[in-house]
Amino acid sequence: MTIEGLKQQQGQSNKWCNFAGVISQSSINEVMSRADIIDVIGQFVRLKKRGANYMANCPFHNEKSPSFNVSPAKGIYKCFGCGKAGNVVSFIQEHEKLTYPEAIRWLADYYKITLQETERSPEQIQQQMAGEALRILNEYAANYFHDYLLNSEEGQLIGMSYFKQRGFRKDIIEKFRLGYNAEQNDQFYNTAVSKGHNKELLAKAGLIKERNGFYHDVYRGRVIFPIQGMTGRVLGFGARILKSNEKAPKYINTPENELYLKSKILYGMYQSRNAIGKQDECFLVEGYTDVISLHQGGVENVVASSGTSLTEDQLRLIGQLTKNLTILYDGDAAGIKAALRGLDMALGQSFNVQLVLLPDGEDPDSFIQKSGAAQFHEFVKEHKQDVISFRLQIGMNEVGNDPVKKSKLVNEIAESISRINKAEDFALQDHYIRTASNKLQVDETGLINLVNKYIRDRIDNDTRHQQRRNEQAAPQLSEEDMAQAAAYEGSEPQPATPAAKEDLQEWALLRVLIEYGHMVYEGYESVARLIEERVDPSLLENEMVLKLYNEYFDHFTHFGGVPETHYFVNHPEPTVREKMASLLHHNTNISHNWKEKYGIESLNGAMTYVVDVDSTLSYFEFKKILKMEEELLKKISEEQDPAKQQRMQMKFVELRKMEKDILKRHRQVVFKSLKVK
Ligand code: ZN
């Protein structure tokens, strides 16, 4: 049975490896043991320590207060808002939209681990190529262009001259992996194809184009700015023309493809992410060269939206690192328009948005080069303007005497003001209303009413939104709430069906095994031995619980020790991994609530596990007694011999007494539900 179980388990995991493609189990183990969940998740979101865990605003849904929880001890995360949960691999899978093997590769890449890969079939190579080809190709192209800039005559003569003229230092050129592509029609194309890259993909990546059956490079005679994602992967390119007399567009960007999603990319995010977190502020500029110049000048917390107005997704990227957004813009009309768009969205996402108008004729690039970092910071500090004042100033200039335009502006301003969270900053909102009514020369009460209308509209909207989300999330959360509550004495009755409660108790048993299996228990070598002896597995009705229960004890019997938590947290089956993350995480998280609600001491207390084990165990003993009673009653009704019948009845009374004892010991309301069936 045990050997059989182990074989089965190995079979599964082999199958899973083959399916994953190619990475050996030992490599996966190495990656898993090296990957630090705080380190990895910290690359994407701003984690704040809270007790033994870390909190952040969830990267998977939009939220204002953090409900995304990471437990370093257990190696798992869980969002109490949207329910997403898992381990370090699932996080990378989910966040970077990767398959399991791709996520393992990502982590191996990050930790500089060389993966051992088993032999691959042509189909597997094909499959893997299809998935990662764009990434590989972009990386190749970025290296090619960078190398061409540094090491070719034309690159030096044309590309390098341009960058030098812009004042870029070599270290900065390397930091941003800047490049150059030859003017010749198809030099990159020919080289790339000779290295085995295929035409369709090159075209998809926007690097080559077909005309009359011939392929040519798209970025001819252009300097190249690789656009990197949060983790440094090259997602696409921006390429600037150098000859001014051509009719071609000044910049060419990668077309949208699986990797290059313009609305989700901010230029400079990779180079700036640490500084943004550290300074707790993000500067937003328009162009690539603005970002690069600021970095060179020592201002490293800056990203560019690359000309497009800010999108919700871009704001979310920034919002994971800081809520302080400062927009630097120059005085031309286009710059102002660009700065204005997306601002309401930023206010809506609880950003503290400030705007800084640069001196006449300067853009961030020229300004930092002239002024240097110290003067730059001083200027920014002195000229920071909040969104509402900015809007008013710009709007008033445009409106003039036009009543229609004015009414539109009043509405816009009212909406912007309404987005400032009233609870957080009532005085500020008040201040803006007074200023605006003054400048716009409208009645203050009228403006207040207008602001209130916008707030009301939004609350209605949010409420509907929230309701929908609750409807989705509620069953999951309350189920676990109950599982936890049910495992403790004094928990309140929950309105669940008996069947659902049984299910929860079964999961609770598994949790107790995983968390405390290795600990000693009075009279037993370990909690695992105690449960092995006292719980009848035939009472387990949930298939997954039974399967994992058996896996647990197979491991125990075979290796002489209980499987560690990470065995289940990193289980080959995704459904198990997800369930484990919820099951194990919730435990430590709501314990504070229980303390208040039920007077239960912290779970981390040295001996509380005994209580936990006891009550879980009692449930199964209780269940067993009920089952025996039921069987006995059936036998009594069928028994013809009065003497035998009487003995059975005595036995029944005994069982009832045992039943009552357990109830008295635990007073667990949830047990009673079993009898309701
Ligand atoms: Zn979430």
Side-chain angles (χ1 to χ4, degrees), residues 583-624:
L583 191 70
L584 300 176
H585 210 102
H586 213 76
N587 190 22
T588 44
N589 267 308
I590 65 166
S591 56
H592 318 287
N593 295 344
W594 298 336
K595 195 174 176 183
E596 286 159 23
K597 228 170 163 177
Y598 308 119
I600 293 165
E601 277 304 313
S602 160
L603 283 171
N604 303 325
M607 291 309 284
T608 42
Y609 80 91
V610 174
V611 180
D612 204 356
V613 171
D614 261 346
S615 69
T616 306
L617 210 56
S618 301
Y619 169 86
F620 287 94
E621 285 181 339
F622 190 75
K623 192 175 173 183
K624 179 145 201 180

Short mmCIF file of all heavy atoms in Angstrom, two decimals, residues 583-624:
data_model
loop_
_atom_site.label_atom_id
_atom_site.label_comp_id
_atom_site.label_asym_id
_atom_site.label_seq_id
_atom_site.Cartn_x
_atom_site.Cartn_y
_atom_site.Cartn_z
N LEU A 583 -5.89 27.34 2.88
CA LEU A 583 -6.05 26.60 4.12
C LEU A 583 -5.01 27.02 5.16
O LEU A 583 -5.33 27.30 6.31
CB LEU A 583 -5.90 25.10 3.84
CG LEU A 583 -6.28 24.14 4.95
CD1 LEU A 583 -7.77 24.15 5.15
CD2 LEU A 583 -5.82 22.72 4.60
N LEU A 584 -3.76 27.08 4.73
CA LEU A 584 -2.69 27.34 5.68
C LEU A 584 -2.54 28.82 6.00
O LEU A 584 -2.10 29.20 7.06
CB LEU A 584 -1.37 26.80 5.14
CG LEU A 584 -1.38 25.29 4.90
CD1 LEU A 584 -0.08 24.85 4.27
CD2 LEU A 584 -1.63 24.54 6.19
N HIS A 585 -2.94 29.62 5.03
CA HIS A 585 -2.74 31.05 5.24
C HIS A 585 -3.74 31.64 6.20
O HIS A 585 -3.43 32.39 7.09
CB HIS A 585 -2.85 31.78 3.93
CG HIS A 585 -2.01 33.01 3.90
ND1 HIS A 585 -0.81 33.04 3.25
CD2 HIS A 585 -2.17 34.20 4.49
CE1 HIS A 585 -0.27 34.21 3.43
NE2 HIS A 585 -1.08 34.94 4.17
N HIS A 586 -4.97 31.28 5.97
CA HIS A 586 -6.06 31.89 6.69
C HIS A 586 -5.88 31.77 8.18
O HIS A 586 -6.17 32.66 8.94
CB HIS A 586 -7.35 31.20 6.28
CG HIS A 586 -8.48 32.15 6.29
ND1 HIS A 586 -8.65 33.08 5.30
CD2 HIS A 586 -9.46 32.37 7.19
CE1 HIS A 586 -9.71 33.81 5.58
NE2 HIS A 586 -10.22 33.41 6.71
N ASN A 587 -5.35 30.67 8.52
CA ASN A 587 -5.13 30.32 9.91
C ASN A 587 -4.51 31.43 10.75
O ASN A 587 -5.10 31.89 11.72
CB ASN A 587 -4.23 29.09 9.91
CG ASN A 587 -4.13 28.50 11.28
OD1 ASN A 587 -5.01 28.73 12.10
ND2 ASN A 587 -3.10 27.75 11.51
N THR A 588 -3.33 31.88 10.36
CA THR A 588 -2.66 32.89 11.17
C THR A 588 -3.30 34.25 11.02
O THR A 588 -3.16 35.10 11.87
CB THR A 588 -1.18 33.01 10.76
OG1 THR A 588 -1.14 33.02 9.35
CG2 THR A 588 -0.37 31.89 11.32
N ASN A 589 -4.01 34.42 9.91
CA ASN A 589 -4.50 35.74 9.63
C ASN A 589 -5.70 36.18 10.42
O ASN A 589 -5.81 37.33 10.80
CB ASN A 589 -4.86 35.83 8.16
CG ASN A 589 -3.68 36.35 7.42
OD1 ASN A 589 -3.15 37.37 7.80
ND2 ASN A 589 -3.27 35.64 6.41
N ILE A 590 -6.62 35.31 10.62
CA ILE A 590 -7.81 35.79 11.30
C ILE A 590 -7.72 35.54 12.80
O ILE A 590 -8.63 35.83 13.53
CB ILE A 590 -9.11 35.21 10.71
CG1 ILE A 590 -9.19 33.71 10.91
CG2 ILE A 590 -9.25 35.55 9.25
CD1 ILE A 590 -10.57 33.17 10.66
N SER A 591 -6.58 35.06 13.23
CA SER A 591 -6.49 34.73 14.65
C SER A 591 -6.74 35.94 15.55
O SER A 591 -7.27 35.81 16.63
CB SER A 591 -5.13 34.12 14.96
OG SER A 591 -4.12 34.99 14.55
N HIS A 592 -6.34 37.12 15.03
CA HIS A 592 -6.60 38.33 15.84
C HIS A 592 -8.10 38.50 16.06
O HIS A 592 -8.55 38.80 17.15
CB HIS A 592 -6.07 39.58 15.16
CG HIS A 592 -4.74 39.36 14.55
ND1 HIS A 592 -3.60 39.24 15.31
CD2 HIS A 592 -4.36 39.21 13.26
CE1 HIS A 592 -2.57 39.03 14.50
NE2 HIS A 592 -3.00 39.01 13.26
N ASN A 593 -8.83 38.30 14.99
CA ASN A 593 -10.28 38.44 15.09
C ASN A 593 -10.87 37.48 16.11
O ASN A 593 -11.72 37.83 16.89
CB ASN A 593 -10.95 38.15 13.75
CG ASN A 593 -10.54 39.19 12.73
OD1 ASN A 593 -10.02 40.25 13.11
ND2 ASN A 593 -10.76 38.89 11.47
N TRP A 594 -10.39 36.26 16.06
CA TRP A 594 -10.94 35.27 16.98
C TRP A 594 -10.69 35.67 18.41
O TRP A 594 -11.49 35.44 19.28
CB TRP A 594 -10.30 33.91 16.78
CG TRP A 594 -10.56 33.37 15.45
CD1 TRP A 594 -11.58 33.70 14.64
CD2 TRP A 594 -9.77 32.42 14.78
NE1 TRP A 594 -11.48 33.00 13.49
CE2 TRP A 594 -10.39 32.21 13.54
CE3 TRP A 594 -8.62 31.72 15.10
CZ2 TRP A 594 -9.88 31.32 12.62
CZ3 TRP A 594 -8.12 30.84 14.20
CH2 TRP A 594 -8.73 30.64 12.97
N LYS A 595 -9.51 36.25 18.61
CA LYS A 595 -9.17 36.61 19.96
C LYS A 595 -10.23 37.57 20.50
O LYS A 595 -10.70 37.42 21.61
CB LYS A 595 -7.79 37.24 20.01
CG LYS A 595 -7.26 37.30 21.42
CD LYS A 595 -5.85 37.77 21.48
CE LYS A 595 -5.44 37.90 22.94
NZ LYS A 595 -4.10 38.43 23.07
N GLU A 596 -10.58 38.54 19.65
CA GLU A 596 -11.60 39.48 20.08
C GLU A 596 -12.96 38.82 20.15
O GLU A 596 -13.71 38.99 21.10
CB GLU A 596 -11.67 40.65 19.08
CG GLU A 596 -10.50 41.59 19.21
CD GLU A 596 -10.29 42.42 17.95
OE1 GLU A 596 -11.28 42.59 17.19
OE2 GLU A 596 -9.16 42.86 17.73
N LYS A 597 -13.25 38.04 19.15
CA LYS A 597 -14.59 37.50 19.00
C LYS A 597 -14.86 36.35 19.96
O LYS A 597 -15.88 36.27 20.60
CB LYS A 597 -14.76 37.01 17.57
CG LYS A 597 -16.03 37.47 16.89
CD LYS A 597 -15.89 37.11 15.43
CE LYS A 597 -17.22 37.13 14.71
NZ LYS A 597 -17.00 36.84 13.28
N TYR A 598 -13.91 35.45 20.02
CA TYR A 598 -14.14 34.23 20.78
C TYR A 598 -13.25 34.10 22.01
O TYR A 598 -13.32 33.13 22.73
CB TYR A 598 -13.91 33.00 19.89
CG TYR A 598 -14.66 33.04 18.60
CD1 TYR A 598 -13.99 33.02 17.39
CD2 TYR A 598 -16.06 33.11 18.60
CE1 TYR A 598 -14.69 33.04 16.20
CE2 TYR A 598 -16.76 33.15 17.41
CZ TYR A 598 -16.07 33.12 16.21
OH TYR A 598 -16.75 33.15 15.03
N GLY A 599 -12.38 35.07 22.19
CA GLY A 599 -11.49 35.01 23.33
C GLY A 599 -10.43 33.92 23.21
O GLY A 599 -9.90 33.43 24.19
N ILE A 600 -10.13 33.55 21.98
CA ILE A 600 -9.12 32.50 21.78
C ILE A 600 -7.74 33.13 21.70
O ILE A 600 -7.54 34.12 21.01
CB ILE A 600 -9.42 31.72 20.49
CG1 ILE A 600 -10.72 30.94 20.66
CG2 ILE A 600 -8.28 30.78 20.15
CD1 ILE A 600 -11.28 30.45 19.37
N GLU A 601 -6.83 32.54 22.41
CA GLU A 601 -5.47 33.09 22.40
C GLU A 601 -4.81 32.89 21.04
O GLU A 601 -5.23 32.05 20.25
CB GLU A 601 -4.63 32.40 23.48
CG GLU A 601 -4.81 33.00 24.86
CD GLU A 601 -4.54 34.49 24.91
OE1 GLU A 601 -3.51 34.94 24.37
OE2 GLU A 601 -5.39 35.21 25.48
N SER A 602 -3.79 33.67 20.81
CA SER A 602 -3.07 33.60 19.53
C SER A 602 -2.67 32.18 19.19
O SER A 602 -2.29 31.40 20.05
CB SER A 602 -1.82 34.45 19.60
OG SER A 602 -0.92 34.06 18.60
N LEU A 603 -2.77 31.88 17.93
CA LEU A 603 -2.42 30.54 17.47
C LEU A 603 -0.94 30.24 17.62
O LEU A 603 -0.53 29.10 17.60
CB LEU A 603 -2.78 30.40 16.00
CG LEU A 603 -4.25 30.20 15.73
CD1 LEU A 603 -4.50 30.30 14.25
CD2 LEU A 603 -4.67 28.84 16.24
N ASN A 604 -0.18 31.29 17.71
CA ASN A 604 1.26 31.07 17.78
C ASN A 604 1.71 30.65 19.18
O ASN A 604 2.84 30.29 19.40
CB ASN A 604 2.00 32.34 17.37
CG ASN A 604 1.58 32.75 15.96
OD1 ASN A 604 1.33 31.90 15.13
ND2 ASN A 604 1.49 34.04 15.73
N GLY A 605 0.79 30.74 20.11
CA GLY A 605 1.11 30.33 21.47
C GLY A 605 1.60 28.90 21.50
O GLY A 605 1.19 28.08 20.69
N ALA A 606 2.48 28.59 22.45
CA ALA A 606 3.17 27.31 22.44
C ALA A 606 2.22 26.11 22.51
O ALA A 606 2.43 25.12 21.83
CB ALA A 606 4.16 27.26 23.59
N MET A 607 1.19 26.20 23.33
CA MET A 607 0.37 25.02 23.55
C MET A 607 -0.98 25.03 22.85
O MET A 607 -1.75 24.10 22.96
CB MET A 607 0.16 24.83 25.06
CG MET A 607 1.41 24.42 25.82
SD MET A 607 2.24 22.99 25.07
CE MET A 607 1.13 21.69 25.63
N THR A 608 -1.28 26.09 22.13
CA THR A 608 -2.60 26.16 21.53
C THR A 608 -2.83 25.05 20.51
O THR A 608 -3.94 24.67 20.24
CB THR A 608 -2.84 27.50 20.84
OG1 THR A 608 -1.67 27.84 20.14
CG2 THR A 608 -3.22 28.57 21.83
N TYR A 609 -1.75 24.51 19.98
CA TYR A 609 -1.93 23.47 18.98
C TYR A 609 -2.59 22.24 19.59
O TYR A 609 -3.32 21.51 18.91
CB TYR A 609 -0.59 23.12 18.31
CG TYR A 609 0.31 22.19 19.08
CD1 TYR A 609 0.24 20.80 18.91
CD2 TYR A 609 1.23 22.70 19.98
CE1 TYR A 609 1.08 19.95 19.61
CE2 TYR A 609 2.06 21.86 20.69
CZ TYR A 609 1.99 20.49 20.51
OH TYR A 609 2.81 19.66 21.21
N VAL A 610 -2.37 22.06 20.89
CA VAL A 610 -2.99 20.91 21.55
C VAL A 610 -4.51 21.04 21.50
O VAL A 610 -5.23 20.09 21.19
CB VAL A 610 -2.49 20.80 23.00
CG1 VAL A 610 -3.25 19.70 23.74
CG2 VAL A 610 -1.00 20.53 23.02
N VAL A 611 -4.99 22.26 21.74
CA VAL A 611 -6.42 22.52 21.67
C VAL A 611 -6.93 22.26 20.26
O VAL A 611 -7.97 21.63 20.04
CB VAL A 611 -6.71 23.99 22.08
CG1 VAL A 611 -8.21 24.26 22.01
CG2 VAL A 611 -6.16 24.28 23.46
N ASP A 612 -6.16 22.77 19.33
CA ASP A 612 -6.51 22.63 17.92
C ASP A 612 -6.60 21.14 17.54
O ASP A 612 -7.57 20.69 16.94
CB ASP A 612 -5.41 23.33 17.09
CG ASP A 612 -5.92 23.77 15.73
OD1 ASP A 612 -7.08 23.45 15.41
OD2 ASP A 612 -5.15 24.41 15.00
N VAL A 613 -5.58 20.39 17.92
CA VAL A 613 -5.54 18.96 17.62
C VAL A 613 -6.71 18.24 18.29
O VAL A 613 -7.42 17.47 17.66
CB VAL A 613 -4.20 18.34 18.09
CG1 VAL A 613 -4.24 16.82 17.97
CG2 VAL A 613 -3.04 18.91 17.29
N ASP A 614 -6.91 18.56 19.56
CA ASP A 614 -7.98 17.92 20.34
C ASP A 614 -9.35 18.07 19.72
O ASP A 614 -10.09 17.11 19.57
CB ASP A 614 -8.01 18.53 21.74
CG ASP A 614 -7.29 17.64 22.72
OD1 ASP A 614 -7.02 16.47 22.36
OD2 ASP A 614 -6.99 18.10 23.83
N SER A 615 -9.67 19.31 19.38
CA SER A 615 -11.02 19.54 18.90
C SER A 615 -11.23 18.92 17.53
O SER A 615 -12.30 18.40 17.23
CB SER A 615 -11.35 21.04 18.89
OG SER A 615 -10.58 21.67 17.90
N THR A 616 -10.18 18.93 16.73
CA THR A 616 -10.29 18.31 15.41
C THR A 616 -10.47 16.80 15.54
O THR A 616 -11.32 16.19 14.90
CB THR A 616 -9.03 18.60 14.58
OG1 THR A 616 -8.83 20.00 14.56
CG2 THR A 616 -9.18 18.11 13.17
N LEU A 617 -9.68 16.25 16.43
CA LEU A 617 -9.75 14.82 16.67
C LEU A 617 -11.12 14.42 17.21
O LEU A 617 -11.72 13.43 16.79
CB LEU A 617 -8.65 14.45 17.68
CG LEU A 617 -8.07 13.07 17.59
CD1 LEU A 617 -7.52 12.82 16.19
CD2 LEU A 617 -6.97 12.92 18.62
N SER A 618 -11.60 15.23 18.14
CA SER A 618 -12.89 14.94 18.77
C SER A 618 -14.00 14.86 17.74
O SER A 618 -14.91 14.06 17.85
CB SER A 618 -13.23 16.02 19.79
OG SER A 618 -12.24 16.07 20.76
N TYR A 619 -13.89 15.72 16.75
CA TYR A 619 -14.91 15.71 15.72
C TYR A 619 -15.01 14.33 15.07
O TYR A 619 -16.09 13.79 14.88
CB TYR A 619 -14.60 16.76 14.66
CG TYR A 619 -15.45 16.64 13.43
CD1 TYR A 619 -16.70 17.25 13.38
CD2 TYR A 619 -15.03 15.89 12.34
CE1 TYR A 619 -17.51 17.12 12.26
CE2 TYR A 619 -15.82 15.75 11.22
CZ TYR A 619 -17.06 16.37 11.18
OH TYR A 619 -17.85 16.23 10.08
N PHE A 620 -13.84 13.76 14.77
CA PHE A 620 -13.87 12.46 14.09
C PHE A 620 -14.29 11.34 15.03
O PHE A 620 -14.93 10.39 14.60
CB PHE A 620 -12.51 12.18 13.42
CG PHE A 620 -12.33 13.03 12.20
CD1 PHE A 620 -11.66 14.23 12.26
CD2 PHE A 620 -12.91 12.64 11.01
CE1 PHE A 620 -11.54 15.03 11.14
CE2 PHE A 620 -12.79 13.42 9.87
CZ PHE A 620 -12.11 14.63 9.94
N GLU A 621 -13.94 11.47 16.30
CA GLU A 621 -14.42 10.48 17.26
C GLU A 621 -15.94 10.58 17.39
O GLU A 621 -16.65 9.57 17.43
CB GLU A 621 -13.75 10.72 18.62
CG GLU A 621 -12.32 10.24 18.61
CD GLU A 621 -11.62 10.45 19.95
OE1 GLU A 621 -12.08 11.30 20.74
OE2 GLU A 621 -10.63 9.75 20.19
N PHE A 622 -16.38 11.80 17.45
CA PHE A 622 -17.81 12.06 17.55
C PHE A 622 -18.55 11.47 16.35
O PHE A 622 -19.57 10.79 16.48
CB PHE A 622 -18.03 13.58 17.63
CG PHE A 622 -19.42 13.99 17.96
CD1 PHE A 622 -19.91 13.88 19.25
CD2 PHE A 622 -20.25 14.51 16.98
CE1 PHE A 622 -21.20 14.26 19.56
CE2 PHE A 622 -21.54 14.91 17.28
CZ PHE A 622 -22.02 14.77 18.57
N LYS A 623 -17.98 11.72 15.19
CA LYS A 623 -18.58 11.23 13.96
C LYS A 623 -18.63 9.71 13.95
O LYS A 623 -19.61 9.10 13.53
CB LYS A 623 -17.78 11.75 12.77
CG LYS A 623 -18.48 11.55 11.45
CD LYS A 623 -17.72 12.17 10.30
CE LYS A 623 -18.40 11.78 9.00
NZ LYS A 623 -17.70 12.28 7.83
N LYS A 624 -17.57 9.14 14.47
CA LYS A 624 -17.50 7.68 14.49
C LYS A 624 -18.58 7.11 15.42
O LYS A 624 -19.24 6.13 15.10
CB LYS A 624 -16.11 7.25 14.98
CG LYS A 624 -15.96 5.75 15.05
CD LYS A 624 -14.57 5.32 14.68
CE LYS A 624 -14.61 3.86 14.25
NZ LYS A 624 -13.31 3.36 13.89
#
